[in-house]
Structures are given as structure tokens and as C-alpha cells.
Amino acid sequence: MTAKRNKIILLEDDETLGYLLTEYLSMNEFEVFWAKNGIDCLKMLEQKNYDLAILDIMLPDIDGFNLAERITSLHPTLPFLFLTARSLKVDILKGFSLGAIDYLKKPIDEEVLVVRIKTLLSRLDEPTKSKKTNITYQLGQYLFNSVNQELIYKDTSIDLTNKESQLLLYLISHENTLCTHKEILTQLWGKNDYFSKKSLNVFITHLRKYLKNDLSIKIENVHNRGFILKINK
């Protein structure tokens, strides 16, 4: 059986460095997805699950620190580190205060980077190895595995993002009950604000699209209040 390749999203606007890091990390058992600016990075985070994000700070569109805050809001379980030329103490302290698991300075030796990444991922994975069990929920004609973040319909499998999986699990846990915007945002986003609410609506749209093959499943919108997951059994 082929070993799992950890998925890394690399945010680097320098063409040469981005290419070299993508190639080197790919040769060392990682599956790398290269984003060349902050906007593309956010779009990619909505489309796929990742095990780690490597972020530059000095970017042409979104400051890396601000981007880290957005990532924390949208994907609170996604670990991230900074790889940057910004080496002042104030920057390092800010990076860690935002939740970074490491702060690496450019230039960095590629072999050292690989060792650091493998060590960090190993430490992050260790506490959960013994706890992970497959928890599967039946949703009409769908099966939802909340650990693998996988939604299965007949012979089709959909890989959910961290936030999609968290939101679906929350709705399942409150089936046929109104889940208010405030409750969902506080629990899953950590804050109840305009940006988070807009993000919530986007993820609800995603889930409705994934579940459209079974008409017995509905995520109903209660105007200005929240959502209800209903399954006609």
C-alpha cells in the first residue's frame, strides 16, 4: 500500500523559489499545491483539504499576517508556518501570536525545511493517532465519514474541506433543530461577524450542492436566523 503523501499548500509569490520548493518537496513525499498570491491561496483552501500551509508574509495582494488570520477563521484546525525574509523579533513574535507552529527565515536549506516539516507534522499527528476511529453517519442515500472528511454517494466519493466537514457534522448533530447563525459561527468560526457569516453562506451552498442527489435531504434557510438540516426518512 502506498504511504499517504501529506498535502501542503505553499504560498510563495517568487516564481523561482516557488518552483524550486514545489519540486523539492514533491520529491520528498509531499503533495504540494503552489499558490502565487493570497487570493488564490484562499480559493484553493475552499476546494481541498491540506495537512499544512507554508505562508510567505510579503505578498502583492494580502499581507501574510492578515492571511493567517483569515485562514484561522476559515480553517481553525489547519496548522501553518511562516517562511519569510521578515526576520525582526517583532515579526517573529507576531507570527507565533497568530498561531503559527513555526517561523522560518529565508533563505533556508531545502533539506532542513523537509526535516522541520516532517518533525512538525509528526508531532501534530501523535496525540490523535490512538484516538482516531471512523465515525460514519447515514444521511439518506449518503454516508458521511467525519474522520476522513468524506461524503459517499453510491460509487462517488467527495473529499470535504475541514470547514465543510465541521459544518456538516454540526448540522447532523442538531438534525431537525434550528442552528442559529450565532451558534454556528461561535462554535466553528470562533467569532460572529459579517465576514464569517458570508463565509458560512458559501459553505452551506457547497453542502447543498454535494447533497443534491438525494431530494429527501434539505438544509433549510430560516430568514435572518439560521439553518435546519431536515431528512425525510
Side-chain angles (χ1 to χ4, degrees), residues 36-47:
K36 300 180 182 181
N37 58 66
I39 297 298
D40 286 348
C41 182
L42 289 172
K43 289 179 181 177
M44 291 166 67
L45 285 166
E46 291 184 357
Q47 299 167 358

Side-chain angles (χ1 to χ4, degrees), residues 142-208:
Y142 289 84
L143 288 176
F144 169 51
N145 187 305
S146 62
V147 173
N148 295 338
Q149 298 182 172
E150 183 180 32
L151 191 61
I152 301 169
Y153 176 76
K154 297 183 178 179
D155 296 326
T156 303
S157 175
I158 301 171
D159 290 327
L160 304 180
T161 65
N162 289 330
K163 188 62 67 180
E164 288 167 350
S165 182
Q166 292 170 3
L167 179 55
L168 182 56
L169 182 59
Y170 188 89
L171 293 173
I172 292 172
S173 301
H174 299 80
E175 184 182 341
N176 294 320
T177 303
L178 173 65
C179 300
T180 67
H181 297 136
K182 181 179 180 180
E183 290 168 345
I184 297 173
L185 293 173
T186 301
Q187 288 292 320
L188 303 185
W189 270 259
K191 54 185 176 180
N192 178 20
D193 59 19
Y194 175 79
F195 176 77
S196 299
K197 187 175 179 180
K198 294 286 286 185
S199 177
L200 168 60
N201 290 333
V202 170
F203 284 105
I204 287 290
T205 299
H206 290 179
L207 293 182
R208 284 172 172 158

Side-chain angles (χ1 to χ4, degrees), residues 96-158:
F96 282 114
S97 72
L98 292 172
I101 60 173
D102 208 344
Y103 192 103
L104 307 177
K105 304 172 189 176
K106 296 178 181 176
I108 188 169
D109 182 88
E110 290 87 352
E111 291 184 32
V112 172
L113 177 61
V114 168
V115 172
R116 294 289 287 269
I117 291 174
K118 288 184 176 181
T119 301
L120 289 167
L121 289 175
S122 176
R123 289 174 180 170
L124 290 169
D125 190 44
E126 193 63 35
T128 60
K129 280 183 178 177
S130 61
K131 297 179 182 179
K132 282 195 174 182
T133 55
N134 285 345
I135 302 176
T136 304
Y137 298 87
Q138 181 84 44
L139 284 84
Q141 300 178 54
Y142 289 84
L143 288 176
F144 169 51
N145 187 305
S146 62
V147 173
N148 295 338
Q149 298 182 172
E150 183 180 32
L151 191 61
I152 301 169
Y153 176 76
K154 297 183 178 179
D155 296 326
T156 303
S157 175
I158 301 171

Side-chain angles (χ1 to χ4, degrees), residues 71-98:
I71 289 175
T72 300
S73 175
L74 294 169
H75 307 278
T77 62
L78 175 64
F80 64 91
L81 61 83
F82 290 106
L83 177 59
T84 176
R86 296 266 290 267
S87 58
L88 293 177
K89 181 178 179 180
V90 64
D91 293 321
I92 298 171
L93 292 174
K94 182 173 183 179
F96 282 114
S97 72
L98 292 172

Side-chain angles (χ1 to χ4, degrees), residues 215-228:
L215 298 180
S216 70
I217 304 173
K218 292 183 179 180
I219 302 178
E220 293 189 355
N221 176 47
V222 180
H223 185 61
N224 287 332
R225 295 191 63 194
F227 302 97
I228 302 176

